Amino acid sequence: MEKSTLFQEAFNQTNYQLLAHGKRNVQVLKAAFQQVEDQLDSDLYGTGKVIEAFQEKMAAFLGKDAAIFFPSGTMAQQIALRIWCDEKGMKKVAYHPLSHLEIHEEDGLKEIHNIQTILLADKTRVIELEDVQKMEEGIACLLLELPQREIGGQLPSFETLVQISEYCRAKGIKLHLDGARLLEVLPYYQKSAAEVCTLFDSVYLSFYKGIGGIAGAILAGEPDFIGKSKIWKRRYGGDLISLYPYIVAADFYFEKRVDKMALYYKEAKELAQYFNSCFGMHTLPQVPVSNMFHVHFHYSKEQMEPILTELYTKTGVGFTTNIREIDDNTCYFEASLGDQYANVPKDKISGTFDLLDELMKHKFKDE
Amino acid sequence: MEKSTLFQEAFNQTNYQLLAHGKRNVQVLKAAFQQVEDQLDSDLYGTGKVIEAFQEKMAAFLGKDAAIFFPSGTMAQQIALRIWCDEKGMKKVAYHPLSHLEIHEEDGLKEIHNIQTILLADKTRVIELEDVQKMEEGIACLLLELPQREIGGQLPSFETLVQISEYCRAKGIKLHLDGARLLEVLPYYQKSAAEVCTLFDSVYLSFYKGIGGIAGAILAGEPDFIGKSKIWKRRYGGDLISLYPYIVAADFYFEKRVDKMALYYKEAKELAQYFNSCFGMHTLPQVPVSNMFHVHFHYSKEQMEPILTELYTKTGVGFTTNIREIDDNTCYFEASLGDQYANVPKDKISGTFDLLDELMKHKFKDE
């Protein structure tokens, strides 16, 4: 067996997992549909009770006048930016260099819409007011991602958000929220979703991140904006005859987890502390501001996998199999807290990190 | 109650429905998942057993080397045409004036890809070899829809298909099959899916037409073409983290109905004959060549709805509530045969059409 297969196998054998909600399998769908009656009618190309009621519920939750359900955030956000570009008559938007649109969408925004992207701040930190003030002219829309996932889920202060929002309104720049993980940051901001969203002209929320649904997204804003989104959703082939498999699950897991975000946040801070107490690693950010953070190992992926394999095997506790190389000497993984952490006995957790620290020191301390 | 509400209500009260497979409700999903084990892993952004196995199965069925599952045919077909345009270095495609791309997609092909469309034949008939031979220069791809849905599901002869295919290959024009309802025409052609698809460079098949799944589509072709499709699927936001709700249902209903298409076709011919035997209406085509046809009434929608309301109420047999106005004096509806027809007692059917003929004559014959 190859090393990474052994690693995967060791993880599969663990009794406890510290991260996420659990496996992404068919049971996720079955649980959501268990209490839905067989006779509930499908939505039909964006119409029907199942989709309309959920859209209205999410619009109200986000403090917007209208909302539309999309199969994916990729589709929803490209469309939002296109609409704002059309409205402003400018083909330029600004966002972070590690925005999902820049690195995970095969350049859809550029290839489909011929929209130019201006990258603000740098790859190590979030966008601050000064970055926005220094932006070049001709930007139709600024996209802010809260939290900034690719740097461990960092956040600007709420005061900065307010200042950026005021600046953009004064300058006539549309402000769009990549709120894939919006719910996850509300406990840190101590704000409601609507209080955050009121700073933005349009908002996207995902249902398979902290909420843990199957797929799908909501785009919210003014009715005119949402009306235009509906046309683009049809153009993209996203106006499916039936989206209910995602909608029913989104609603089910939203209800199940919307009030647990403060718990995940608290657990994330606790877990980050455990990692930071071990030799040869640190978390980014050091103190999480949501349910997520990154764990950076000061050693290579090749060095770390056997250690974690041993750790998982000896403790029966696992956290990830997805170690990503940064360079030849360092690697990291993304940690997102969900339902599973609460199921792990406290002494199991502390014992796991005692052993991790020991294994790290044994292997690296005298090198 | 308004007239059309009364009409809908009368239909809802019927014990038997002549058309389609049944209601589009949650039960459709539950039935498909009943025998799937909870532990089956989700697909993950286009990878994983559930999606890969189904793509391979469909590629083999269609006689192509590769296939990719899409959330919708709209997305799949625009992408196919874009890839062929890029390959040929030409931004022009040809199809029927009533193609789905021309009338149901908010001009996605033009708005997203800036592709020019050349309309062949006219709205009353299918594309014939002569239309293709007379096409202007510079066409990257010709799209043929089998059957041509918006004219009642008409078909060219298989010989014509072969000739068009040979002509396009000789001229270097790519040939794409809009096979949304491909399975439904195989009994008429007396060909396998692969025998039809071999005439085409790329093929799209839908899973919620005759197959009766929830949503989703397959695009099949050469590996290089499918590789490019995967990139575009990501750009469109169609590369969802989980497509399994549609895939599991597509596979379940494909297996359930792939061998019933000949039955639906036979039933369609029988049912069309019943309609054609009644006063004041005819079917298009007169003799169906698939499971579908259109029923044209020689009277207005306003005149027809009360008659059908009375028919449904008196017989307990219904066929549609979706009557579409053609002009002030005529209207039509689309008939697609599915599982339900076989459940209706033969004498119920003949009795229903006896009464329909009687009601029509009583109302209109002496006008």
Side-chain angles (χ1 to χ4, degrees), chain A residues 24-27 30 33 36 38-40 42 72 78 104 106 234-237 242 246, chain B residues 24-27 30 33 36 38 40 42 72 78 104 106 234-237 242 246:
Chain A
R24 290 187 60 85
N25 60 24
V26 162
Q27 200 275 329
K30 288 193 177 181
F33 276 86
V36 177
D38 287 11
Q39 303 313 315
L40 178 69
S42 171
S72 75
Q78 287 178 15
H104 290 309
E106 295 280 2
R234 169 61 62 108
R235 284 182 183 142
Y236 264 68
S242 297
Y246 299 137
Chain B
R24 289 187 62 86
N25 60 24
V26 162
Q27 202 275 328
K30 288 194 176 181
F33 276 84
V36 178
D38 287 12
L40 178 70
S42 172
S72 73
Q78 286 178 16
H104 289 310
E106 295 281 2
R234 169 61 61 106
R235 285 183 183 140
Y236 263 69
S242 297
Y246 298 135

mmCIF file of all heavy atoms in Angstrom, chain A residues 24-27 30 33 36 38-40 42 72 78 104 106 234-237 242 246, chain B residues 24-27 30 33 36 38 40 42 72 78 104 106 234-237 242 246:
data_model
loop_
_atom_site.group_PDB
_atom_site.id
_atom_site.type_symbol
_atom_site.label_atom_id
_atom_site.label_comp_id
_atom_site.label_asym_id
_atom_site.label_seq_id
_atom_site.Cartn_x
_atom_site.Cartn_y
_atom_site.Cartn_z
ATOM 1 N N ARG A 24 -20.061 12.716 3.734
ATOM 2 C CA ARG A 24 -20.964 13.172 2.679
ATOM 3 C C ARG A 24 -21.463 11.930 1.936
ATOM 4 O O ARG A 24 -20.868 11.509 0.945
ATOM 5 C CB ARG A 24 -20.230 14.086 1.696
ATOM 6 C CG ARG A 24 -19.859 15.461 2.265
ATOM 7 C CD ARG A 24 -19.294 16.359 1.169
ATOM 8 N NE ARG A 24 -20.262 16.556 0.106
ATOM 9 C CZ ARG A 24 -21.217 17.479 0.129
ATOM 10 N NH1 ARG A 24 -21.337 18.305 1.140
ATOM 11 N NH2 ARG A 24 -22.067 17.583 -0.872
ATOM 12 N N ASN A 25 -22.534 11.357 2.418
ATOM 13 C CA ASN A 25 -23.074 10.178 1.747
ATOM 14 C C ASN A 25 -24.595 10.283 1.640
ATOM 15 O O ASN A 25 -25.189 11.306 2.007
ATOM 16 C CB ASN A 25 -22.623 8.893 2.454
ATOM 17 C CG ASN A 25 -23.078 8.852 3.908
ATOM 18 O OD1 ASN A 25 -24.064 9.512 4.276
ATOM 19 N ND2 ASN A 25 -22.380 8.093 4.726
ATOM 20 N N VAL A 26 -25.187 9.235 1.096
ATOM 21 C CA VAL A 26 -26.617 9.251 0.792
ATOM 22 C C VAL A 26 -27.478 9.462 2.042
ATOM 23 O O VAL A 26 -28.590 9.984 1.962
ATOM 24 C CB VAL A 26 -26.979 7.931 0.063
ATOM 25 C CG1 VAL A 26 -28.460 7.656 0.098
ATOM 26 C CG2 VAL A 26 -26.470 7.980 -1.380
ATOM 27 N N GLN A 27 -26.932 9.098 3.175
ATOM 28 C CA GLN A 27 -27.680 9.266 4.411
ATOM 29 C C GLN A 27 -28.025 10.742 4.661
ATOM 30 O O GLN A 27 -29.060 11.048 5.251
ATOM 31 C CB GLN A 27 -26.840 8.690 5.564
ATOM 32 C CG GLN A 27 -27.633 8.343 6.809
ATOM 33 C CD GLN A 27 -27.830 9.544 7.703
ATOM 34 O OE1 GLN A 27 -27.000 10.426 7.752
ATOM 35 N NE2 GLN A 27 -28.975 9.588 8.383
ATOM 36 N N LYS A 30 -31.136 11.214 2.747
ATOM 37 C CA LYS A 30 -32.264 10.454 3.317
ATOM 38 C C LYS A 30 -32.782 11.087 4.606
ATOM 39 O O LYS A 30 -33.995 11.153 4.835
ATOM 40 C CB LYS A 30 -31.857 9.005 3.554
ATOM 41 C CG LYS A 30 -31.720 8.210 2.261
ATOM 42 C CD LYS A 30 -31.623 6.708 2.553
ATOM 43 C CE LYS A 30 -31.563 5.894 1.272
ATOM 44 N NZ LYS A 30 -31.484 4.455 1.512
ATOM 45 N N PHE A 33 -35.010 14.000 3.891
ATOM 46 C CA PHE A 33 -36.293 13.700 3.262
ATOM 47 C C PHE A 33 -37.203 12.810 4.110
ATOM 48 O O PHE A 33 -38.357 12.584 3.761
ATOM 49 C CB PHE A 33 -36.075 13.060 1.883
ATOM 50 C CG PHE A 33 -35.870 14.095 0.819
ATOM 51 C CD1 PHE A 33 -34.608 14.614 0.579
ATOM 52 C CD2 PHE A 33 -36.929 14.592 0.085
ATOM 53 C CE1 PHE A 33 -34.410 15.599 -0.380
ATOM 54 C CE2 PHE A 33 -36.749 15.567 -0.875
ATOM 55 C CZ PHE A 33 -35.484 16.070 -1.107
ATOM 56 N N VAL A 36 -40.364 14.481 5.069
ATOM 57 C CA VAL A 36 -41.072 15.193 4.001
ATOM 58 C C VAL A 36 -42.078 14.238 3.387
ATOM 59 O O VAL A 36 -41.737 13.104 3.068
ATOM 60 C CB VAL A 36 -40.080 15.669 2.917
ATOM 61 C CG1 VAL A 36 -40.826 16.343 1.781
ATOM 62 C CG2 VAL A 36 -39.052 16.595 3.529
ATOM 63 N N ASP A 38 -44.405 12.275 0.832
ATOM 64 C CA ASP A 38 -44.232 11.830 -0.549
ATOM 65 C C ASP A 38 -44.973 12.720 -1.546
ATOM 66 O O ASP A 38 -44.555 12.855 -2.688
ATOM 67 C CB ASP A 38 -44.799 10.398 -0.716
ATOM 68 C CG ASP A 38 -43.905 9.366 -0.054
ATOM 69 O OD1 ASP A 38 -42.990 9.761 0.698
ATOM 70 O OD2 ASP A 38 -44.143 8.171 -0.292
ATOM 71 N N GLN A 39 -46.075 13.296 -1.102
ATOM 72 C CA GLN A 39 -46.939 14.024 -2.031
ATOM 73 C C GLN A 39 -46.503 15.461 -2.260
ATOM 74 O O GLN A 39 -47.112 16.174 -3.066
ATOM 75 C CB GLN A 39 -48.401 13.992 -1.545
ATOM 76 C CG GLN A 39 -48.950 12.589 -1.342
ATOM 77 C CD GLN A 39 -48.638 11.666 -2.515
ATOM 78 O OE1 GLN A 39 -48.785 12.049 -3.673
ATOM 79 N NE2 GLN A 39 -48.163 10.449 -2.227
ATOM 80 N N LEU A 40 -45.464 15.900 -1.562
ATOM 81 C CA LEU A 40 -44.979 17.273 -1.769
ATOM 82 C C LEU A 40 -44.561 17.435 -3.230
ATOM 83 O O LEU A 40 -43.719 16.693 -3.729
ATOM 84 C CB LEU A 40 -43.775 17.568 -0.864
ATOM 85 C CG LEU A 40 -43.164 18.965 -1.038
ATOM 86 C CD1 LEU A 40 -44.100 20.054 -0.528
ATOM 87 C CD2 LEU A 40 -41.807 19.067 -0.341
ATOM 88 N N SER A 42 -42.853 18.710 -6.628
ATOM 89 C CA SER A 42 -41.591 19.294 -7.081
ATOM 90 C C SER A 42 -41.796 20.757 -7.414
ATOM 91 O O SER A 42 -42.893 21.177 -7.786
ATOM 92 C CB SER A 42 -41.114 18.560 -8.335
ATOM 93 O OG SER A 42 -40.001 19.221 -8.913
ATOM 94 N N SER A 72 -25.510 26.375 -7.648
ATOM 95 C CA SER A 72 -24.151 26.586 -7.110
ATOM 96 C C SER A 72 -23.843 28.057 -6.893
ATOM 97 O O SER A 72 -24.418 28.936 -7.542
ATOM 98 C CB SER A 72 -23.101 26.001 -8.067
ATOM 99 O OG SER A 72 -22.939 26.824 -9.200
ATOM 100 N N GLN A 78 -21.015 34.736 -10.318
ATOM 101 C CA GLN A 78 -20.678 35.273 -11.639
ATOM 102 C C GLN A 78 -21.827 36.132 -12.155
ATOM 103 O O GLN A 78 -21.625 37.211 -12.720
ATOM 104 C CB GLN A 78 -20.416 34.142 -12.635
ATOM 105 C CG GLN A 78 -19.099 33.414 -12.429
ATOM 106 C CD GLN A 78 -18.921 32.267 -13.415
ATOM 107 O OE1 GLN A 78 -19.624 32.176 -14.426
ATOM 108 N NE2 GLN A 78 -17.994 31.386 -13.124
ATOM 109 N N HIS A 104 -10.815 29.012 -8.437
ATOM 110 C CA HIS A 104 -11.521 27.721 -8.469
ATOM 111 C C HIS A 104 -12.567 27.580 -9.578
ATOM 112 O O HIS A 104 -13.327 26.612 -9.581
ATOM 113 C CB HIS A 104 -12.230 27.470 -7.133
ATOM 114 C CG HIS A 104 -11.306 27.189 -5.989
ATOM 115 N ND1 HIS A 104 -10.317 26.238 -6.049
ATOM 116 C CD2 HIS A 104 -11.226 27.735 -4.755
ATOM 117 C CE1 HIS A 104 -9.659 26.204 -4.892
ATOM 118 N NE2 HIS A 104 -10.183 27.112 -4.094
ATOM 119 N N GLU A 106 -12.105 28.067 -13.118
ATOM 120 C CA GLU A 106 -11.600 27.986 -14.496
ATOM 121 C C GLU A 106 -11.841 29.297 -15.242
ATOM 122 O O GLU A 106 -12.138 29.314 -16.440
ATOM 123 C CB GLU A 106 -12.261 26.809 -15.253
ATOM 124 C CG GLU A 106 -11.918 25.435 -14.698
ATOM 125 C CD GLU A 106 -10.543 24.933 -15.166
ATOM 126 O OE1 GLU A 106 -9.834 25.658 -15.881
ATOM 127 O OE2 GLU A 106 -10.204 23.781 -14.788
ATOM 128 N N ARG A 234 -31.484 31.033 -16.078
ATOM 129 C CA ARG A 234 -31.995 30.272 -17.217
ATOM 130 C C ARG A 234 -30.926 30.144 -18.299
ATOM 131 O O ARG A 234 -30.699 29.057 -18.842
ATOM 132 C CB ARG A 234 -33.263 30.961 -17.743
ATOM 133 C CG ARG A 234 -33.811 30.481 -19.086
ATOM 134 C CD ARG A 234 -34.203 29.026 -19.087
ATOM 135 N NE ARG A 234 -35.265 28.690 -18.171
ATOM 136 C CZ ARG A 234 -36.505 28.381 -18.515
ATOM 137 N NH1 ARG A 234 -36.854 28.395 -19.781
ATOM 138 N NH2 ARG A 234 -37.403 28.048 -17.597
ATOM 139 N N ARG A 235 -30.239 31.262 -18.600
ATOM 140 C CA ARG A 235 -29.186 31.216 -19.627
ATOM 141 C C ARG A 235 -28.087 30.222 -19.288
ATOM 142 O O ARG A 235 -27.557 29.545 -20.159
ATOM 143 C CB ARG A 235 -28.546 32.616 -19.769
ATOM 144 C CG ARG A 235 -29.400 33.580 -20.527
ATOM 145 C CD ARG A 235 -28.700 34.930 -20.687
ATOM 146 N NE ARG A 235 -29.615 35.832 -21.368
ATOM 147 C CZ ARG A 235 -29.757 37.132 -21.095
ATOM 148 N NH1 ARG A 235 -29.008 37.691 -20.152
ATOM 149 N NH2 ARG A 235 -30.629 37.852 -21.750
ATOM 150 N N TYR A 236 -27.725 30.149 -18.032
ATOM 151 C CA TYR A 236 -26.648 29.257 -17.583
ATOM 152 C C TYR A 236 -27.074 27.782 -17.557
ATOM 153 O O TYR A 236 -26.250 26.907 -17.325
ATOM 154 C CB TYR A 236 -26.225 29.636 -16.159
ATOM 155 C CG TYR A 236 -25.030 30.550 -16.038
ATOM 156 C CD1 TYR A 236 -25.081 31.870 -16.459
ATOM 157 C CD2 TYR A 236 -23.843 30.107 -15.470
ATOM 158 C CE1 TYR A 236 -23.985 32.711 -16.306
ATOM 159 C CE2 TYR A 236 -22.744 30.946 -15.319
ATOM 160 C CZ TYR A 236 -22.826 32.238 -15.743
ATOM 161 O OH TYR A 236 -21.745 33.058 -15.583
ATOM 162 N N GLY A 237 -28.367 27.541 -17.714
ATOM 163 C CA GLY A 237 -28.829 26.168 -17.532
ATOM 164 C C GLY A 237 -28.934 25.797 -16.068
ATOM 165 O O GLY A 237 -28.828 24.631 -15.696
ATOM 166 N N SER A 242 -36.313 20.732 -11.560
ATOM 167 C CA SER A 242 -36.462 20.380 -10.144
ATOM 168 C C SER A 242 -35.173 20.651 -9.388
ATOM 169 O O SER A 242 -34.163 20.003 -9.638
ATOM 170 C CB SER A 242 -36.801 18.888 -9.996
ATOM 171 O OG SER A 242 -38.035 18.581 -10.585
ATOM 172 N N TYR A 246 -31.982 19.634 -3.485
ATOM 173 C CA TYR A 246 -31.060 20.522 -2.768
ATOM 174 C C TYR A 246 -31.804 21.452 -1.808
ATOM 175 O O TYR A 246 -31.288 21.772 -0.739
ATOM 176 C CB TYR A 246 -30.266 21.365 -3.775
ATOM 177 C CG TYR A 246 -29.410 20.542 -4.715
ATOM 178 C CD1 TYR A 246 -29.355 20.833 -6.074
ATOM 179 C CD2 TYR A 246 -28.644 19.481 -4.247
ATOM 180 C CE1 TYR A 246 -28.564 20.082 -6.937
ATOM 181 C CE2 TYR A 246 -27.856 18.727 -5.102
ATOM 182 C CZ TYR A 246 -27.828 19.031 -6.454
ATOM 183 O OH TYR A 246 -27.047 18.284 -7.312
ATOM 184 N N ARG B 24 -44.907 14.722 -10.507
ATOM 185 C CA ARG B 24 -43.523 15.073 -10.172
ATOM 186 C C ARG B 24 -43.490 15.510 -8.715
ATOM 187 O O ARG B 24 -43.617 16.691 -8.395
ATOM 188 C CB ARG B 24 -43.024 16.226 -11.051
ATOM 189 C CG ARG B 24 -42.778 15.828 -12.512
ATOM 190 C CD ARG B 24 -42.112 16.979 -13.278
ATOM 191 N NE ARG B 24 -40.825 17.303 -12.707
ATOM 192 C CZ ARG B 24 -39.685 16.701 -13.007
ATOM 193 N NH1 ARG B 24 -39.662 15.730 -13.895
ATOM 194 N NH2 ARG B 24 -38.554 17.060 -12.426
ATOM 195 N N ASN B 25 -43.338 14.568 -7.827
ATOM 196 C CA ASN B 25 -43.295 14.923 -6.406
ATOM 197 C C ASN B 25 -42.157 14.164 -5.715
ATOM 198 O O ASN B 25 -41.395 13.431 -6.352
ATOM 199 C CB ASN B 25 -44.653 14.677 -5.737
ATOM 200 C CG ASN B 25 -45.088 13.221 -5.828
ATOM 201 O OD1 ASN B 25 -44.260 12.328 -5.965
ATOM 202 N ND2 ASN B 25 -46.388 12.989 -5.751
ATOM 203 N N VAL B 26 -42.071 14.374 -4.408
ATOM 204 C CA VAL B 26 -40.953 13.843 -3.629
ATOM 205 C C VAL B 26 -40.869 12.312 -3.696
ATOM 206 O O VAL B 26 -39.802 11.730 -3.545
ATOM 207 C CB VAL B 26 -41.071 14.356 -2.175
ATOM 208 C CG1 VAL B 26 -40.239 13.541 -1.219
ATOM 209 C CG2 VAL B 26 -40.657 15.833 -2.115
ATOM 210 N N GLN B 27 -42.009 11.700 -3.951
ATOM 211 C CA GLN B 27 -42.032 10.242 -4.027
ATOM 212 C C GLN B 27 -41.105 9.730 -5.135
ATOM 213 O O GLN B 27 -40.536 8.640 -5.017
ATOM 214 C CB GLN B 27 -43.484 9.783 -4.261
ATOM 215 C CG GLN B 27 -43.771 8.359 -3.856
ATOM 216 C CD GLN B 27 -43.423 7.392 -4.962
ATOM 217 O OE1 GLN B 27 -43.529 7.729 -6.136
ATOM 218 N NE2 GLN B 27 -42.983 6.192 -4.587
ATOM 219 N N LYS B 30 -37.806 9.560 -3.492
ATOM 220 C CA LYS B 30 -37.754 8.522 -2.444
ATOM 221 C C LYS B 30 -37.711 7.119 -3.036
ATOM 222 O O LYS B 30 -36.978 6.259 -2.547
ATOM 223 C CB LYS B 30 -38.954 8.673 -1.508
ATOM 224 C CG LYS B 30 -38.845 9.891 -0.595
ATOM 225 C CD LYS B 30 -39.863 9.824 0.530
ATOM 226 C CE LYS B 30 -39.701 10.990 1.488
ATOM 227 N NZ LYS B 30 -40.665 10.943 2.594
ATOM 228 N N PHE B 33 -34.252 6.263 -4.180
ATOM 229 C CA PHE B 33 -33.242 6.095 -3.124
ATOM 230 C C PHE B 33 -33.549 4.966 -2.153
ATOM 231 O O PHE B 33 -32.723 4.645 -1.306
ATOM 232 C CB PHE B 33 -33.048 7.418 -2.354
ATOM 233 C CG PHE B 33 -32.084 8.332 -3.056
ATOM 234 C CD1 PHE B 33 -32.519 9.161 -4.074
ATOM 235 C CD2 PHE B 33 -30.735 8.332 -2.734
ATOM 236 C CE1 PHE B 33 -31.639 9.980 -4.754
ATOM 237 C CE2 PHE B 33 -29.837 9.155 -3.402
ATOM 238 C CZ PHE B 33 -30.303 9.985 -4.409
ATOM 239 N N VAL B 36 -30.991 2.296 -2.205
ATOM 240 C CA VAL B 36 -29.591 2.735 -2.167
ATOM 241 C C VAL B 36 -29.147 2.751 -0.718
ATOM 242 O O VAL B 36 -29.840 3.293 0.147
ATOM 243 C CB VAL B 36 -29.446 4.142 -2.780
ATOM 244 C CG1 VAL B 36 -28.000 4.612 -2.708
ATOM 245 C CG2 VAL B 36 -29.956 4.155 -4.206
ATOM 246 N N ASP B 38 -27.379 3.767 2.690
ATOM 247 C CA ASP B 38 -27.055 5.049 3.322
ATOM 248 C C ASP B 38 -25.579 5.399 3.197
ATOM 249 O O ASP B 38 -25.214 6.573 3.180
ATOM 250 C CB ASP B 38 -27.382 4.993 4.826
ATOM 251 C CG ASP B 38 -28.872 5.021 5.081
ATOM 252 O OD1 ASP B 38 -29.649 4.855 4.107
ATOM 253 O OD2 ASP B 38 -29.262 5.209 6.247
ATOM 254 N N LEU B 40 -23.483 4.883 0.799
ATOM 255 C CA LEU B 40 -22.952 5.221 -0.530
ATOM 256 C C LEU B 40 -22.417 6.652 -0.495
ATOM 257 O O LEU B 40 -23.136 7.589 -0.166
ATOM 258 C CB LEU B 40 -24.049 5.091 -1.600
ATOM 259 C CG LEU B 40 -23.620 5.473 -3.022
ATOM 260 C CD1 LEU B 40 -22.640 4.456 -3.599
ATOM 261 C CD2 LEU B 40 -24.826 5.633 -3.941
ATOM 262 N N SER B 42 -21.158 10.300 -1.558
ATOM 263 C CA SER B 42 -21.466 11.332 -2.549
ATOM 264 C C SER B 42 -20.362 11.382 -3.589
ATOM 265 O O SER B 42 -19.206 11.070 -3.294
ATOM 266 C CB SER B 42 -21.562 12.688 -1.863
ATOM 267 O OG SER B 42 -21.671 13.721 -2.827
ATOM 268 N N SER B 72 -28.049 20.102 -16.296
ATOM 269 C CA SER B 72 -29.109 20.382 -17.276
ATOM 270 C C SER B 72 -28.618 20.251 -18.703
ATOM 271 O O SER B 72 -27.431 20.402 -19.000
ATOM 272 C CB SER B 72 -29.672 21.801 -17.078
ATOM 273 O OG SER B 72 -28.745 22.766 -17.535
ATOM 274 N N GLN B 78 -25.127 24.118 -24.793
ATOM 275 C CA GLN B 78 -24.403 25.366 -25.092
ATOM 276 C C GLN B 78 -22.902 25.094 -25.097
ATOM 277 O O GLN B 78 -22.169 25.589 -25.957
ATOM 278 C CB GLN B 78 -24.715 26.429 -24.037
ATOM 279 C CG GLN B 78 -26.094 27.038 -24.142
ATOM 280 C CD GLN B 78 -26.357 28.052 -23.026
ATOM 281 O OE1 GLN B 78 -25.432 28.517 -22.361
ATOM 282 N NE2 GLN B 78 -27.619 28.386 -22.805
ATOM 283 N N HIS B 104 -36.057 28.647 -25.600
ATOM 284 C CA HIS B 104 -36.289 28.386 -24.162
ATOM 285 C C HIS B 104 -35.117 28.743 -23.256
ATOM 286 O O HIS B 104 -35.146 28.430 -22.072
ATOM 287 C CB HIS B 104 -36.604 26.903 -23.941
ATOM 288 C CG HIS B 104 -37.949 26.473 -24.452
ATOM 289 N ND1 HIS B 104 -39.113 27.141 -24.149
ATOM 290 C CD2 HIS B 104 -38.317 25.439 -25.256
ATOM 291 C CE1 HIS B 104 -40.133 26.541 -24.739
ATOM 292 N NE2 HIS B 104 -39.676 25.506 -25.421
ATOM 293 N N GLU B 106 -33.389 31.885 -22.989
ATOM 294 C CA GLU B 106 -33.082 33.322 -22.829
ATOM 295 C C GLU B 106 -31.822 33.702 -23.605
ATOM 296 O O GLU B 106 -31.027 34.532 -23.166
ATOM 297 C CB GLU B 106 -32.915 33.673 -21.333
ATOM 298 C CG GLU B 106 -34.174 33.522 -20.507
ATOM 299 C CD GLU B 106 -35.132 34.709 -20.670
ATOM 300 O OE1 GLU B 106 -34.840 35.637 -21.449
ATOM 301 O OE2 GLU B 106 -36.193 34.679 -19.997
ATOM 302 N N ARG B 234 -17.291 23.447 -15.084
ATOM 303 C CA ARG B 234 -16.801 24.162 -13.913
ATOM 304 C C ARG B 234 -17.056 25.670 -14.062
ATOM 305 O O ARG B 234 -17.536 26.332 -13.147
ATOM 306 C CB ARG B 234 -15.309 23.859 -13.724
ATOM 307 C CG ARG B 234 -14.573 24.726 -12.710
ATOM 308 C CD ARG B 234 -15.126 24.612 -11.293
ATOM 309 N NE ARG B 234 -15.046 23.294 -10.722
ATOM 310 C CZ ARG B 234 -14.183 22.919 -9.767
ATOM 311 N NH1 ARG B 234 -13.326 23.797 -9.294
ATOM 312 N NH2 ARG B 234 -14.215 21.690 -9.275
ATOM 313 N N ARG B 235 -16.757 26.200 -15.246
ATOM 314 C CA ARG B 235 -16.981 27.637 -15.485
ATOM 315 C C ARG B 235 -18.433 28.035 -15.294
ATOM 316 O O ARG B 235 -18.733 29.108 -14.767
ATOM 317 C CB ARG B 235 -16.572 27.996 -16.927
ATOM 318 C CG ARG B 235 -15.090 28.063 -17.125
ATOM 319 C CD ARG B 235 -14.738 28.506 -18.559
ATOM 320 N NE ARG B 235 -13.283 28.486 -18.692
ATOM 321 C CZ ARG B 235 -12.619 28.069 -19.771
ATOM 322 N NH1 ARG B 235 -13.285 27.641 -20.835
ATOM 323 N NH2 ARG B 235 -11.313 28.083 -19.789
ATOM 324 N N TYR B 236 -19.319 27.211 -15.747
ATOM 325 C CA TYR B 236 -20.765 27.498 -15.647
ATOM 326 C C TYR B 236 -21.298 27.356 -14.221
ATOM 327 O O TYR B 236 -22.432 27.699 -13.950
ATOM 328 C CB TYR B 236 -21.535 26.508 -16.533
ATOM 329 C CG TYR B 236 -21.915 26.997 -17.913
ATOM 330 C CD1 TYR B 236 -20.937 27.210 -18.884
ATOM 331 C CD2 TYR B 236 -23.241 27.209 -18.269
ATOM 332 C CE1 TYR B 236 -21.290 27.622 -20.161
ATOM 333 C CE2 TYR B 236 -23.593 27.622 -19.551
ATOM 334 C CZ TYR B 236 -22.619 27.817 -20.491
ATOM 335 O OH TYR B 236 -22.975 28.206 -21.748
ATOM 336 N N GLY B 237 -20.500 26.782 -13.334
ATOM 337 C CA GLY B 237 -21.041 26.497 -12.010
ATOM 338 C C GLY B 237 -21.904 25.245 -12.019
ATOM 339 O O GLY B 237 -22.797 25.089 -11.194
ATOM 340 N N SER B 242 -21.978 17.847 -5.266
ATOM 341 C CA SER B 242 -22.779 16.612 -5.248
ATOM 342 C C SER B 242 -23.873 16.673 -6.305
ATOM 343 O O SER B 242 -24.783 17.495 -6.202
ATOM 344 C CB SER B 242 -23.462 16.420 -3.891
ATOM 345 O OG SER B 242 -22.516 16.274 -2.859
ATOM 346 N N TYR B 246 -29.502 13.605 -8.519
ATOM 347 C CA TYR B 246 -29.978 13.455 -9.894
ATOM 348 C C TYR B 246 -29.450 12.178 -10.538
ATOM 349 O O TYR B 246 -30.155 11.548 -11.322
ATOM 350 C CB TYR B 246 -29.543 14.663 -10.727
ATOM 351 C CG TYR B 246 -30.111 15.975 -10.227
ATOM 352 C CD1 TYR B 246 -29.327 17.112 -10.107
ATOM 353 C CD2 TYR B 246 -31.460 16.083 -9.866
ATOM 354 C CE1 TYR B 246 -29.851 18.311 -9.648
ATOM 355 C CE2 TYR B 246 -31.984 17.279 -9.405
ATOM 356 C CZ TYR B 246 -31.181 18.391 -9.294
ATOM 357 O OH TYR B 246 -31.691 19.571 -8.837
#
